Amino acid sequence: MNERGFKRDTFMQPGVKMASQQQQPGGPMAQPGLQQPTSLQQQQQQQQQQLSQQQDFDPVHRFKMLIPQLKESLQNVMKIASLNLAHNTSLDNGISDTSVQRFDKSLEEFYALCDQLELCLRLAYECLSQSIDSAKHSPNLVPTATKPDTVQTESMSYAQYLNMIKSQISCAKDIHNALLECSKKIAGKGQPQGIM
């Protein structure tokens, strides 16, 4: 019996813990209703964050995200323009009307979104042209350790890739040297030859 006169055995059944014996939420066993995220859930959250970060840098995805904002901004520009036109008409008729929003600010916002869209399209075009040039000048892929599943039969080893890059560098140096020699010959022909 405890100090209140109750038998301890009647309240203590096997497998049942009293509130003072239950562990707090931060402990190894959480209380029912408070579920801790598992490692699988944490991995999924990290993957979603990485995907969203990659999409932020993707110019096509950013372009698609900006289109609804551009539509809304254009609607706002048209609305403010019509309100300003009605306001100016009422002022011309001698009727004093309330003030309206500034048209130039809404137009500036619209132009800013247009500029962002233009930059996204230019960046997407540059990415595409670099991808095409890469496929043209280095058609074989080099397998990476991070993506072993992308290994293809026509892929080259890293040593082969280095040799190809070295040959491209030497070719670029040869072209550079040939252009320098040609420019020296052209510059030499321009000088009078009688003076020495």
Side-chain angles (χ1 to χ4, degrees):
M1 288 183 93
N2 62 8
E3 55 205 37
R4 292 191 184 143
F6 295 111
K7 281 183 156 181
R8 193 173 201 138
D9 295 337
T10 58
F11 285 82
M12 295 296 292
Q13 297 174 357
V16 177
K17 292 184 179 180
M18 294 179 65
S20 62
Q21 293 176 334
Q22 288 181 351
Q23 295 182 354
Q24 297 300 320
M29 291 183 59
Q31 292 180 356
L34 297 175
Q35 296 178 353
Q36 294 179 345
T38 62
S39 62
L40 179 62
Q41 290 173 341
Q42 289 174 349
Q43 288 175 354
Q44 289 175 348
Q45 289 174 352
Q46 289 174 351
Q47 289 173 352
Q48 289 174 353
Q49 288 174 350
Q50 289 174 352
L51 181 62
S52 67
Q53 289 174 353
Q54 289 173 352
Q55 289 175 345
D56 288 343
F57 295 118
D58 183 19
V60 175
H61 183 264
R62 179 132 174 86
F63 178 84
K64 289 179 181 178
M65 286 176 40
L66 287 174
I67 289 294
Q69 293 177 14
L70 183 70
K71 288 180 181 178
E72 183 180 322
S73 178
L74 181 60
Q75 289 174 351
N76 190 31
V77 165
M78 294 300 168
K79 177 183 161 188
I80 291 174
S82 67
L83 290 174
N84 278 332
L85 185 61
H87 177 71
N88 288 341
T89 304
S90 66
L91 287 177
D92 289 343
N93 292 334
I95 303 171
S96 172
D97 202 355
T98 61
S99 64
V100 292
Q101 295 178 353
R102 291 181 55 179
F103 177 73
D104 57 343
K105 287 186 179 182
S106 62
L107 191 61
E108 187 66 33
E109 178 186 333
F110 176 75
Y111 282 143
L113 285 171
C114 287
D115 290 342
Q116 288 180 21
L117 287 171
E118 182 183 6
L119 289 174
C120 288
L121 290 175
R122 284 185 182 180
L123 182 60
Y125 178 76
E126 287 294 322
C127 290
L128 179 65
S129 63
Q130 285 182 2
S131 175
I132 290 171
D133 288 344
S134 176
K136 180 179 172 183
H137 298 294
S138 178
N140 297 331
L141 298 175
V142 178
T144 60
T146 58
K147 297 181 182 178
D149 56 339
T150 60
V151 176
Q152 298 176 354
T153 56
E154 66 268 359
S155 64
M156 62 175 68
S157 68
Y158 188 69
Q160 292 171 331
Y161 179 74
L162 285 178
N163 288 334
M164 181 186 69
I165 296 299
K166 287 178 183 177
S167 68
Q168 289 177 350
I169 290 172
S170 67
C171 180
K173 284 182 181 178
D174 291 343
I175 292 172
H176 181 262
N177 291 337
L179 288 173
L180 279 177
E181 289 176 21
C182 183
S183 66
K184 288 178 183 176
K185 287 180 183 177
I186 292 173
K189 288 182 179 179
Q191 294 177 353
Q193 294 186 3
I195 303 173
M196 287 208 180

